[in-house]
Amino acid sequence: MQTSALKELDSQYLIHPVSDFRGHQQKGVKILQSGKGPRVTDSEGETYLDAFAGLWCVNVGFGEQRIVDVASKQMSVLPYATGYFGFGSEPAIKLAEKLVSITPDSLQHVYFSLGGSDAVDAALRYITYYYNAIGKPQKKHIIALKRGYHGSSSVGAGVTGLPAFHANFDVPLPTHHHIACPYFYRSEFDTEQALIDASVQELKDKVAALGADNVAAFFCEPVVGSGGVIVPPKGWLTAIAKACKSLGILFVVDEVITGFGRTGKMFACEHENIQPDMMTMAKGLTSGYVPMGAVMMSDEIFKGIADGPHRSAVVGHGQTYSAHPVSAAVALEVISIYEEGLLEHAQAMTPYFEDKLQSILSHPLVGDVRNQGLLAAVELVADKSKKRQFPAELGLHEVIADIAWKNKLIFRAFGDNILGFAPALCYSKEDFDELFDLLQKTLDEVLSLDMVKKEMAR
Ligand SMILES: Cc1ncc(COP(=O)(O)O)c(C=O)c1O
C-alpha cells in the first residue's frame, strides 16, 4: 500500500499511545518498514540510526534470525497453551526457572504478563492480596518517586509520578504517594550523600505520616527512565532498600527498562547487590520481538498468598496470554543471546560511549550528561551556569526530535529537553561514532535556531 494511503488510514483509525490525538493527526505517522541491527528503514526507503532501541526494548537489535526461527518453530509445534486449569508449556516453565536463576536470590516465583504495565498491575494486585491474606488488610498505601514511571494501567498510572499520566484519568488514588526523585543535577544538595540521606528521611517521614501499619510498599526504578533518565547517586538504592526493610514495607524494583543488560549488568539491582521483595520486568525480556512481561516475588510473599490464614480459594488474577509459549520461547533465546556474549560486548563498549557522552558535555546546549551502562541522558539547558531550562511553551523537544529525524537519528526527546539514549547492546564503535556525529550535527542546528539563540541570550 502507498505510504500516503497508509498515513490517511492511520490518521482516521489508529490511536497512538501517549499521544496528542489531534496533534498526531495533523503531523502524521512515520511508518517504519524494516530493521537490521541498530538501524530501521521507513516506508520511503530512508534508513535511520536508532539510538533508543525502539522504546528501550530491542536490546539485541533488529533482524536476529535466531529469534525468528525459535518463534516460528514454537508456533508450528504449539502456538498456544493456557496456564489456567493446571495446564502449562515447556518454554514457560523453563523461562520461569531461568529468571529465578538470573535475578537476585530473594526472588523465587514468577507470574508472566504481556508487558510492563500489567506486570506492575499484577504486582499491585498481589501485594493487596498478600496483605489481606496474612491479616494486615489496612496496609494499602503505596509510595513511589516523582518522575517515576510504572506504566499506565488504571491503578499503576497513579503509582507513576508523571503528571501526564494523571491528568483527566482521576489518579493518583488517595493511597498513592510520591517522594522527591533522587535527581542530583537539579537538587539543592552539595554532596550525593546529603541527597541520599534526605531521600531516606523523606521516605521515613512519609511512612510515619501515613502510619507504618498502613503502608504496603515502595516502588522505584533503579534508574528513572521515562522521567528523564535520572541516575540516582551510588548507594541510594541500598539506602532505600534498607529503609524499606526497617519500616516493614515491601521494596519493589521496576526493572522494565533497566533489566536485561541495559545498565551493564543483567539487572540493575546487581550493581548494589539489592535483594528486592518484588521485581517487574518486560521490554528486554523478549527484546521487543513479541510481547511479554513478568512480576517476580519472594518466597515470603508467595507463601503469604498461598497459605495465609485469610486467603480465598483461588487467587483470581490471570490473563489468557500469561506465560504464552511463543513469547517464552523467544525470551529464552533472547536471554541466551545476552549470555553468549552480547552483555559482555555492551559492557566492553560502555567506556567508549561514556567518553563520547563526556565530550558532548562541552556543547553550549548541554548542561548535564549521565548514564548507567547503555542507558543515558543528555540534558539541554538555556544557561549552563544557572541550569536554566528552555520554557516548555517553546515546544523545543519536538523541534529537536524533528531535526534529529531529518539527520537520520532517532532518540527520545523528553518534554523538558532531556534527550534519552538506549542504544541496542549490539552497537559497534562505528555505530557510536555515527550516533555522536549525528547528535553533534543535530545540536548545532538546534543552537542556530532563532528561538534558541533568543532564549540563551536572556
Ligand atoms: C519502568 C517501567 N515500568 C513499566 C512500564 C510499562 O511497560 P509497558 O509499556 O510494556 O506497559 C514502562 C514502560 O516504558 C517502564 O519504563
Side-chain angles (χ1 to χ4, degrees):
M1 199 181 256
Q2 293 256 314
T3 299
S4 55
L6 281 171
K7 285 189 171 184
E8 188 52 42
L9 293 175
D10 175 88
S11 160
Q12 237 178 317
Y13 298 121
L14 188 58
I15 297 173
H16 287 250
V18 193
S19 65
D20 164 1
F21 284 15
R22 291 294 180 208
H24 174 76
Q25 283 179 323
Q26 273 167 17
K27 211 166 173 187
V29 65
K30 301 180 186 82
I31 301 167
L32 299 177
Q33 198 83 354
S34 62
K36 187 73 196 156
R39 286 176 184 74
V40 289
T41 300
D42 71 6
S43 56
E44 317 275 0
E46 299 288 345
T47 297
Y48 302 80
L49 180 65
D50 181 1
F52 205 63
L55 192 63
W56 18 43
C57 53
V58 189
N59 291 359
V60 301
F62 294 90
E64 265 292 344
Q65 193 56 41
R66 278 175 66 173
I67 301 173
V68 179
D69 292 344
V70 159
S72 159
K73 188 169 164 214
Q74 185 60 45
M75 275 190 176
S76 53
V77 173
L78 183 72
Y80 177 77
T82 180
Y84 285 61
F85 327 126
F87 292 108
S89 73
E90 183 174 341
I93 296 165
K94 279 187 174 166
L95 180 61
E97 189 268 339
K98 182 72 191 172
L99 289 177
V100 169
S101 76
I102 63 174
T103 50
D105 293 343
S106 57
L107 303 169
Q108 291 294 318
H109 306 272
V110 188
Y111 173 81
F112 288 110
S113 62
L114 281 71
S117 294
D118 51 341
V120 170
D121 189 60
L124 289 164
R125 278 177 53 80
Y126 284 133
I127 289 169
T128 303
Y129 190 103
Y130 166 69
Y131 279 123
N132 286 336
I134 64 168
K136 293 185 177 177
Q138 72 286 7
K139 268 182 154 325
K140 290 287 185 282
H141 290 266
I142 305 288
I143 304 171
L145 293 178
K146 288 177 190 158
R147 303 183 82 107
Y149 185 56
H150 301 291
S152 56
S153 73
S154 55
V155 178
V159 178
T160 286
L162 294 168
F165 292 83
H166 300 162
N168 291 329
F169 281 109
D170 297 351
V171 285
L173 300 176
T175 48
H176 296 157
H177 311 272
H178 298 93
I179 62 169
C181 186
Y183 189 2
F184 188 63
Y185 176 66
R186 292 203 175 275
S187 81
E188 71 214 58
F189 302 104
D190 295 332
T191 66
E192 294 191 335
Q193 190 55 49
L195 182 150
I196 295 173
D197 294 345
S199 190
V200 168
Q201 194 55 49
E202 193 182 352
L203 176 63
K204 288 183 176 169
D205 290 348
K206 181 64 84 180
V207 171
L210 295 165
D213 289 346
N214 301 320
V215 180
F218 176 76
F219 276 65
C220 70
E221 299 156 88
V223 173
V224 169
S226 303
V229 190
I230 291 152
V231 185
K234 197 163 182 285
W236 177 84
L237 206 59
T238 306
I240 288 287
K242 203 171 139 209
C244 287
K245 203 165 196 65
S246 73
L247 292 163
I249 65 175
L250 298 175
F251 182 53
V252 186
V253 285
D254 186 341
E255 291 239 23
V256 166
I257 289 175
T258 54
F260 301 99
R262 174 53 55 206
T263 71
K265 302 271 186 192
M266 191 62 98
F267 294 95
C269 272
E270 288 171 43
H271 290 287
E272 299 192 19
N273 193 21
I274 301 296
Q275 300 289 325
D277 297 297
M278 275 186 159
M279 181 191 280
T280 49
M281 59 183 67
K283 296 193 188 273
L285 171 60
T286 54
S287 232
Y289 278 60
V290 287
M292 185 175 234
V295 54
M296 300 190 61
M297 65 178 74
S298 67
D299 203 37
E300 191 174 332
I301 298 176
F302 179 86
K303 279 186 192 147
I305 292 173
D307 309 323
H310 306 282
R311 72 192 196 281
S312 56
V314 293
V315 182
H317 185 78
Q319 291 151 304
T320 301
Y321 299 124
S322 175
H324 195 284
V326 178
S327 301
V330 165
L332 282 167
E333 193 65 14
V334 165
I335 294 170
S336 298
I337 294 175
Y338 297 138
E339 290 185 332
E340 286 166 18
L342 190 64
L343 178 53
E344 228 171 288
H345 169 79
Q347 287 164 343
M349 292 311 301
T350 297
Y352 194 70
F353 180 50
E354 284 173 345
D355 283 352
K356 294 261 173 195
L357 275 172
Q358 284 304 321
S359 62
I360 207 87
L361 191 51
S362 60
H363 193 279
L365 278 171
V366 179
D368 188 37
V369 296
R370 45 188 182 258
N371 78 298
Q372 191 174 50
L374 297 186
L375 178 59
V378 171
E379 180 157 349
L380 306 189
V381 287
D383 182 326
K384 282 199 189 211
S385 63
K386 299 196 177 79
K387 304 181 183 177
R388 182 164 55 81
Q389 291 172 305
F390 287 95
E393 310 83 73
L394 286 185
L396 186 60
H397 66 288
E398 292 202 19
V399 178
I400 296 169
D402 287 347
I403 294 176
W405 176 255
K406 177 187 71 64
N407 289 334
K408 309 282 182 322
L409 177 65
I410 300 172
F411 52 74
R412 175 91 171 262
F414 294 103
D416 39 12
N417 302 311
I418 296 170
L419 312 183
F421 296 86
L425 309 191
C426 62
Y427 255 55
S428 65
K429 234 173 148 186
E430 292 70 31
D431 295 327
F432 282 112
D433 290 343
E434 188 181 333
L435 190 175
F436 282 91
D437 287 350
L438 294 175
L439 178 59
Q440 177 81 40
K441 185 169 178 227
T442 299
L443 293 181
D444 289 348
E445 287 181 33
V446 172
L447 189 60
S448 71
L449 296 173
D450 281 345
M451 69 170 172
V452 168
K453 280 197 277 198
K454 206 167 129 199
E455 193 53 40
M456 291 178 86
R458 250 196 338 115

